[in-house]
Amino acid sequence: MINLILFDVCAVIIIITLIFALMARKLTRGRTNVLFMGLVLTVLVSSVLDIFNVMYNNGILECNEFNTGLRAFLSYAYFIIRNLGMPMLILYIGSFYGVWHRIFIPKFLWFHWAMPFLIELAILLSNPFHQKVFFYDQNLKYCRGPLFVVLYVIAAYYVAVAAVMIFMYRRLLPKRSARFFALYLSLHAFTIALPLMLPFLRIEMVASALLVLSLAIELHRPEDMIDYVVGCGSHNAFFVDCKKKFEAESPQNILLIKFVNHSVLRSSLGHSLYNIMLAKLSDKMYQISKIMKVGCDIYHLDNGIFVIDAPMGRYEQLLDMGRIVAAYLLEPMKLRQMEVMLDASICLVRCPEDISNWTSLINFVHSFHKRLPKSNRVISLSSISDSKDFKMRSDIDAIINRGITNYNFQMYYQPIYSVEKKKFVSAEALIRLQDEVYGFVSPGLFIPAAEESGAIHQIGDFVLEDVFRFIGDNDFDSLGLEYIELNLSVAQCIEENLFEKVVGFMNQYKVQPSQVNLEITETSVDYDPVTTDRNISKLAQKGISFSLDDYGTGYSNIKRVVSLPLNIVKLDKSLVDDMDSGLMWIVIKNTVAMLKRMNKKILVEGVEDKRTLDKFVELGVDYIQGYYFSKPLPESQFLKFILKENFGLDV
């Protein structure tokens, strides 16, 4: 008789092992995983109940009139829990396919999902009165009644509903996954029919256990879908789920969180502690989601990005969750006796209302922090999507392409005053962009975007050629101008053919090396010091002078000032703005004195009033640049300015 329960015991062992594996692999978070766990638990509980039923019904345990009630309860519980697995399977398939919104249409939810189970429940609960499902004869032997077959008819109905769903939405999954679901359902139908054909063969539960195990192995691939370190969905899982939901036209509410300072945190905390921080954040988000009953899926996409995806009808809950997360992030996070400040950008998106296709959403997820205004609160995309600033930031690549194609870029020149000669002897060339759709586009917006897209190389070529043309078209000696300064971007500094390109433009427009001064930043040198040093050395040997721009920002490297062939060091505007601070003025005075002893020329940027001008003139700097003299001017206006200021000619 013991052999009758061995298959059920095997089923229990299989399921308990699977549950431990799911928990160890953190496959217990997210709606689909929760539903799968529910499916697994129905098999476990059904198997345990079936063991007791078999033991009572086959004489392994004593049957008497005193435990008949317990036997009946175990039978009722078995049928209810066992057949609850089919509605659970419907929900699981709907979530896995991304068609959750289709299930919760009232007609489907009532007629195809709830009503069959309610009918079954009503038949079972009324069985003590009519005893048409099962009963115990005079010898207390378990017997099936005429309505017993209804339980299997209802189970077959659920199989049919699941089969229709799989067929209807088969294109939402890879062919292999869709075929597996079809095979799974066929085998599941067989396990349901088997007890009717061979009631003495008790393999129904072990077959069900093996089926859910096959689901876990084939469809729940933790190595692809789980970020084990952080403890939530992976980058790949988000891509797969996002695409499925868009193709299924499933509405989504998505909360995006980007830690803007993630690079600094990673380098300062180290790999291990940084991962601990991410795991702590993931756990906190799950806790908040559970408390607020959002029912969301959480993903980590690397580069400091978390995505929280909630089903339709949860917009307000997700918005509130975002506010709680934002408030939590304002406080320092404690990590091993350290306090870490997180700089986060948070955006709430509705799909398809705000973003209508999955590729656009993926692109937005990776760049949304660049398009949003700086804020420590949750920003709803719908609230800013009509603003000019957001549209410009979102369309920046197209704006840059139009600028290149339609010649919308233009060079402006800001005059530079010589303290010694008491006149304007040079100017800094600055690029501007006037778009036909958005108007003026700030360099602070389009230059970083161009560096990211690679368009900075084309823009850099335009700057070089147009500035060399400007120099070649004008008689600098008669204007009192000695040279023009122009900035080299990081991307230009590491171009293998930079030297040939510059010399080619010089020859084309007959420009002397002394008429050009190239500005570089410390960032340029740090990015690829070997290539940058080679380019600078070759150009310096050609006779071109160099300036170090933005000195005083970041970690200014004195060794670099000594080693590079620099003629001019430009003190950044940030130093000028803080000059009234006693300590900062001490830094400025000593910096100027040090650079002068190194025989470097000193240019001060950002001078906007006469008091500032007089203080730096008294300090002994060589050049002054700023709005006190002039803002950057278009080419024609700059020439008029020089003629008027240097020669008193009002053209």
Side-chain angles (χ1 to χ4, degrees), residues 251-255 308-315 318 349-350:
Q252 301 173 75
N253 298 305
I254 297 175
L255 188 69
I308 303 175
D309 186 356
M312 63 176 183
R314 302 289 175 85
Y315 180 83
L318 192 59
V349 182
R350 296 175 303 170

Side-chain angles (χ1 to χ4, degrees), residues 505-530:
F505 287 136
M506 286 174 57
N507 295 334
Q508 180 180 349
Y509 294 104
K510 297 179 173 55
V511 173
Q512 298 301 314
S514 60
Q515 294 177 308
V516 179
N517 183 276
L518 299 177
E519 293 186 15
I520 59 173
T521 64
E522 291 185 74
T523 306
S524 303
V525 183
D526 290 336
Y527 192 81
D528 185 349
V530 175

Side-chain angles (χ1 to χ4, degrees), residues 448-507:
E451 288 176 337
E452 188 171 326
S453 68
I456 192 67
H457 295 283
Q458 292 173 276
I459 295 173
D461 289 349
F462 163 78
V463 171
L464 285 172
E465 182 168 11
D466 202 63
V467 171
F468 280 112
R469 176 205 56 77
F470 169 70
I471 296 172
D473 285 352
N474 296 280
D475 187 349
F476 265 42
D477 291 337
S478 64
L479 293 171
L481 296 175
E482 297 173 1
Y483 60 89
I484 295 293
E485 293 187 351
L486 61 105
N487 294 280
L488 287 181
S489 68
V490 174
Q492 287 176 289
C493 287
I494 61 175
E495 288 179 354
E496 293 291 340
N497 63 338
L498 177 64
F499 175 78
E500 290 76 15
K501 192 180 293 184
V502 171
V503 171
F505 287 136
M506 286 174 57
N507 295 334

Side-chain angles (χ1 to χ4, degrees), residues 439-452:
F440 174 75
V441 182
S442 168
L445 178 59
F446 73 76
I447 289 179
E451 288 176 337
E452 188 171 326

Side-chain angles (χ1 to χ4, degrees), residues 586-648:
I586 292 173
V587 171
I588 292 172
K589 286 197 300 183
N590 283 282
T591 299
V592 170
M594 176 191 67
L595 293 173
K596 290 180 73 68
R597 285 196 296 271
M598 295 167 62
N599 293 321
K600 305 294 182 184
K601 298 290 186 180
I602 302 167
L603 187 154
V604 181
E605 296 180 300
V607 174
E608 298 182 354
D609 54 61
K610 192 173 188 308
R611 182 181 73 89
T612 305
L613 170 68
D614 292 341
K615 290 196 72 169
F616 278 101
V617 169
E618 183 181 351
L619 201 58
V621 302
D622 302 283
Y623 304 105
I624 304 289
Q625 178 183 349
Y627 274 44
Y628 175 74
F629 294 116
S630 174
K631 64 181 181 181
L633 300 168
E635 182 178 318
S636 58
Q637 292 183 30
F638 169 73
L639 292 173
K640 291 178 181 179
F641 175 90
I642 292 297
L643 290 172
K644 180 179 180 180
E645 297 297 327
N646 282 357
F647 303 101

Side-chain angles (χ1 to χ4, degrees), residues 522-523 525-526 548 555 557-564 566:
E522 291 185 74
T523 306
V525 183
D526 290 336
L548 182 64
Y555 300 96
N557 192 325
I558 300 301
K559 182 178 179 181
R560 189 158 293 137
V561 175
V562 175
S563 61
L564 292 173
L566 301 172

Side-chain angles (χ1 to χ4, degrees), residues 140-209:
L140 300 179
K141 184 179 179 181
Y142 173 84
C143 301
R144 294 177 178 179
L147 290 182
F148 187 86
V149 71
V150 174
L151 304 182
Y152 287 89
V153 171
I154 291 174
Y157 177 78
Y158 277 123
V159 170
V161 172
V164 170
M165 289 179 62
I166 292 171
F167 178 78
M168 287 177 60
Y169 305 117
R170 63 191 183 280
R171 293 186 178 86
L172 300 182
L173 293 180
K175 289 183 178 179
R176 175 174 172 173
S177 297
R179 288 170 182 167
F180 177 81
F181 259 125
L183 177 61
Y184 171 88
L185 211 56
S186 301
L187 294 174
H188 193 77
F190 177 73
T191 63
I192 292 173
L194 190 62
L196 287 175
M197 298 182 293
L198 301 170
F200 59 88
L201 192 60
R202 309 295 299 190
I203 66 168
E204 180 182 2
M205 298 317 305
V206 73
S208 297

Side-chain angles (χ1 to χ4, degrees), residues 151-309:
L151 304 182
Y152 287 89
V153 171
I154 291 174
Y157 177 78
Y158 277 123
V159 170
V161 172
V164 170
M165 289 179 62
I166 292 171
F167 178 78
M168 287 177 60
Y169 305 117
R170 63 191 183 280
R171 293 186 178 86
L172 300 182
L173 293 180
K175 289 183 178 179
R176 175 174 172 173
S177 297
R179 288 170 182 167
F180 177 81
F181 259 125
L183 177 61
Y184 171 88
L185 211 56
S186 301
L187 294 174
H188 193 77
F190 177 73
T191 63
I192 292 173
L194 190 62
L196 287 175
M197 298 182 293
L198 301 170
F200 59 88
L201 192 60
R202 309 295 299 190
I203 66 168
E204 180 182 2
M205 298 317 305
V206 73
S208 297
L210 291 172
L211 284 173
V212 294
L213 178 62
S214 67
L215 275 179
I217 295 172
E218 178 64 25
L219 300 180
H220 287 259
R221 299 173 180 268
E223 65 277 8
D224 295 333
M225 309 306 285
I226 298 294
D227 186 328
Y228 287 121
V229 173
V230 182
C232 59
S234 66
H235 196 282
N236 183 66
F238 174 68
F239 276 19
V240 172
D241 293 346
C242 175
K243 186 175 181 180
K244 282 193 300 187
K245 289 173 182 177
F246 268 106
E247 291 181 351
E249 299 179 354
S250 175
Q252 301 173 75
N253 298 305
I254 297 175
L255 188 69
L256 305 174
I257 303 171
K258 165 75 176 184
F259 298 106
V260 182
N261 60 337
H262 77 97
S263 296
V264 175
L265 291 173
R266 181 179 289 160
S267 59
S268 59
L269 294 175
H271 183 72
S272 178
L273 197 55
Y274 178 76
N275 287 337
I276 292 174
M277 181 196 75
L278 292 178
K280 187 174 180 179
L281 288 168
S282 174
D283 286 339
K284 187 66 177 181
M285 292 175 195
Y286 275 115
Q287 290 173 16
I288 296 172
S289 170
K290 186 176 181 179
I291 292 171
M292 302 192 67
K293 300 179 180 179
V294 177
C296 60
D297 294 315
I298 301 178
Y299 308 88
H300 175 239
L301 273 59
D302 301 323
N303 297 321
I305 299 176
F306 281 89
V307 179
I308 303 175
D309 186 356

